Structure formats: C-alpha cells, structure tokens
Amino acid sequence: MLIYDHDLSSLEELASAWNVPGYRATQIWEGLYQHLYASWEDFTALPAALRSRLAAEFEISPLVPVARLDSSDGQTHKTAFRLADELQIEVVAMRYTRRVTLCISSQAGCAMGCVFCATGQMGFKRHLTSGEIVAQVMYFARELKLEGLKPTNIVVMGMGEPFHNYTNTMAAIDRLNNAKGFSFGARRFTISTVGLPAMIRRFADEKRQVNLAISLHAADDATRSSMLPINKKYPIEEILDACRYYTSQTGRRLTFEWALIDNVNDSPEQARAVAVRLRGLLCHVNAIPLNPTTGYAGKATTRQRALLFKSELERAGIPCSVRLRRGIDIAAGCGQLAVDV
Ligand code: SF4
C-alpha cells in the first residue's frame, strides 16, 4: 500500500489499531510532508520495530522515473514515471528563475478525447489514487529541496480530467494543503477541466480557494464539439451556467483556456462571439497558440492573429492574456503529454 493514500486522521486510526501512541502518527506525517523523507530508514524518531512494520506494509515512493527530457532553454522538464501496474504518467516542471510550477496528472490517459490532445488520443487507462497524485508533488519537492527551492504553484493540468477523478484529486489537494504537513496554499493550486457542469457546481458548493480553469476553446457548440467531444453531452451554455453558479457561490474569478488553432477558433468573430457569452461573468481568458501533436493536423495560430484575438476580447471588456508556449521541443506543452519520451 501507498502511505500517501492516507491522511493524518487515517494514520491516527492506524496508530491506534497498531497499539502505538497517537503522536507517532504525527511523526510519520511530519516525516513525509515536512522532512520529505523518501525511505522508512530516514524516520529515525520512530522505534525500529515500528519502522520495520511500516516498511513491510507501506511504500513511500511508488513512482519510478523512466525518462526525463529537458527543453533546450533548460526551463521545462518532463518526467515520465512508471506506476506499480506498469502504466505510465508524466509530470512537467516549469522554472521561472526561483519559481517552479508543477503540472501534475490526475489519471493515466484520459476519457475526454479532445482531438488536439495527445493524452486524449491515447484513451483512458485508469484514475490515479490520491496518493499517486500526492507522490508526484513530493518527488519534485525532494528534488527541489536539494537546491533550496520548493514548488511555488501546482496545476492539475497534466494527463487526465481531474473532475472525472474528483474525489481522489480533492483528497490529494487537501493532503498537500494540510497546515501540519506540506502546507501548500490552496490558492496556489489550479485545476483545469473540460467543464463537467455537475462537478463545477460541487466544487462551487465546497467553496474551495483553489483556482479553476475551464477549457473553453470555442464560442459555438459546433466548433467546440469538433474539438472536445464531451461538448455534445455538455454544451457551452450548460457549462457557463455552472460557471455563473461558481462565481456567485465563491466570488472567485474563473479562467477560460483557449488553445488558438489557425482558422478554427482564432478569428475575430470567435472572439466577439465568446465575449457576448462571457459578458458579466467574473473571468479571464488565457489564450495560448496550440501545441502540436502528431494525431491532430491543426496548426498554431500566428502571433499576430493571437494578439488580434486578445484585442477583440479586451475591446468587449473581457480580460485576456496570450501565454507563451513552453516545452514544445520536448512535447511537454499543454495537450502534448502521452508518454512517448
Ligand atoms: S485536454 Fe485534458 S481533458 Fe482533454 S483529452 Fe487532454 S487531458 Fe483529457
């Protein structure tokens, strides 16, 4: 079993079931999340017998790094990990001087089938457990600690649809957020979803401080359905209704992601049409020229068209930024994760 699948209260239950004092659970928790120990041998504050029992029953590091690629500018690193059942996932670390953003996975593969996404092209394998999600962060936290750094932001934007694996994703965030452990601020997490309305409402009801990004990508249902098949089930207005509910419940600003694809969704007409739909919604549009994948013929929009798209939105009162593409040379950009390193 994986120790990161347990939260502090379940470690306390474990301590009680094993007839050891409750404070041992806290020591285990602090060893994992404050000291970032990777081996039971490092838990020297625990009695040897307890360490042996823990080692016999629980694994700390379930992720075996099998390949790592570094972008030519040295700022983006993609690591492929093998899981216990031989499936693979990928994590991307993006560095900006002393800031480090981790882009982690919530599933092996993905069931959503977005046509421009390499993960979608590989299909769904399985949900990751909460511990497997936590372990991705801890792996990099240990690595960064050697340089005196910590992750500064975590985006759940790697492989998978986090709202399709809602319970495990939120449990992982809660575990990493716990003030007695890793204490990673809720506002420094961002969850990116294709937009599953029931889950957006649930997320709103939980009033979490975690940032929410919705992959919108198109202003009309025909265009969006041609890119995101899930749109046939949940059309744009249904998603936007849930988004309005989210902002009314939380008062928090949403981000809409927009992969700009040449002559598909990058026209001034698309910008004007989506501006009408988003009017009055507390939001921001994050546009990024499409990252290439072998399974999709669409091309990235030009810089000029991207800036025109942005100015059309801004003219209509919708804030928009055009992001730089990162890590494309190692297929670590958004939508490029498919374990082909
Ligand atoms: S873009 Fe996200 S939701 Fe769509 S197929 Fe890729 S991983 Fe899944």
Side-chain angles (χ1 to χ4, degrees):
M1 283 186 78
L2 177 55
I3 195 70
Y4 291 128
D5 277 321
H6 291 263
D7 57 23
L8 181 54
S9 60
S10 85
L11 288 182
E12 283 161 355
E13 282 165 24
L14 184 80
S16 148
W18 284 7
N19 230 354
V20 296
Y23 69 86
R24 295 296 186 198
T26 308
Q27 287 178 314
I28 295 169
W29 186 258
E30 289 174 355
L32 292 170
Y33 291 101
Q34 290 183 9
H35 306 301
L36 313 183
Y37 294 152
S39 157
W40 289 114
E41 286 167 20
D42 296 333
F43 288 73
T44 48
L46 301 179
L50 179 56
R51 283 206 310 262
S52 310
R53 186 163 182 190
L54 285 162
E57 302 204 18
F58 293 103
E59 197 181 6
I60 298 181
S61 303
L63 305 177
V64 180
V66 288
R68 175 177 165 132
L69 291 176
D70 300 317
S71 65
S72 50
D73 62 9
Q75 291 186 308
T76 305
H77 315 279
K78 177 169 83 165
T79 307
F81 293 99
R82 192 173 60 234
L83 304 170
D85 57 3
E86 302 290 315
L87 287 172
Q88 289 190 24
I89 56 165
E90 292 181 348
V91 182
V92 178
M94 290 160 282
R95 287 167 175 260
Y96 314 80
T97 321
R98 293 191 66 79
R99 277 176 47 229
V100 184
T101 295
L102 298 180
C103 176
I104 62 171
S105 295
S106 56
Q107 297 176 318
C110 184
M112 299 298 128
C114 305
V115 295
F116 51 80
C117 170
T119 309
Q121 289 154 16
M122 71 186 262
F124 178 68
K125 308 295 182 201
R126 72 168 169 85
H127 295 307
L128 299 187
T129 70
S130 57
E132 286 170 329
I133 298 171
V134 167
Q136 296 169 53
V137 175
M138 302 319 290
Y139 178 92
F140 286 96
R142 276 184 219 113
E143 199 175 279
L144 290 166
K145 192 178 177 186
L146 301 175
E147 299 173 53
L149 297 173
K150 277 187 85 170
T152 42
N153 294 84
I154 296 172
V155 296
V156 192
M157 215 180 263
M159 286 184 159
E161 164 50 57
F163 277 2
H164 184 210
N165 187 17
Y166 191 93
T167 309
N168 291 348
T169 301
M170 295 308 156
I173 288 175
D174 288 343
R175 223 158 283 156
L176 292 163
N177 176 236
N178 185 299
K180 291 184 188 156
F182 196 58
S183 197
F184 198 88
R187 288 171 184 239
R188 293 193 286 135
F189 286 98
T190 299
I191 290 193
S192 175
T193 172
V194 287
L196 307 180
M199 294 297 125
I200 295 172
R201 287 171 189 274
R202 178 172 169 187
F203 188 71
D205 288 337
E206 292 172 2
K207 298 204 169 43
R208 292 172 174 276
Q209 299 293 304
V210 170
N211 301 305
L212 184 60
I214 313 273
S215 298
L216 193 56
H217 303 313
D220 63 273
D221 284 315
T223 307
R224 192 167 189 268
S225 295
S226 73
M227 300 161 71
L228 283 69
I230 193 75
N231 191 73
K232 293 181 193 127
K233 193 166 176 191
Y234 304 119
I236 295 172
E237 232 9 82
E238 219 178 293
I239 297 169
L240 294 183
D241 266 351
C243 290
R244 284 186 273 271
Y245 180 74
Y246 171 82
T247 55
S248 73
Q249 289 301 103
T250 64
R252 292 181 62 77
R253 189 175 74 155
L254 280 160
T255 298
F256 289 105
E257 302 285 350
W258 200 284
L260 285 162
I261 307 171
D262 186 40
N263 273 317
V264 174
N265 64 352
D266 64 342
S267 66
E269 293 74 28
Q270 279 278 312
R272 287 193 289 271
V274 78
V276 170
R277 285 191 184 267
L278 300 184
R279 194 172 292 148
L281 188 56
L282 187 57
C283 71
H284 170 264
V285 173
N286 219 349
I288 181 166
L290 178 80
N291 291 322
T293 59
T294 46
Y296 180 62
K299 302 258 178 304
T301 197
T302 61
R303 178 92 187 140
Q304 198 183 11
R305 297 256 299 169
L307 293 177
L308 183 60
F309 185 87
K310 170 182 157 79
S311 67
E312 284 292 341
L313 273 178
E314 287 179 341
R315 202 192 339 240
I318 309 291
C320 175
S321 48
V322 175
R323 278 196 290 143
L324 289 174
R325 299 194 291 172
R326 301 263 320 235
I328 303 171
D329 55 336
I330 55 167
C334 292
Q336 290 187 304
L337 303 187
V339 195
D340 57 356
V341 290

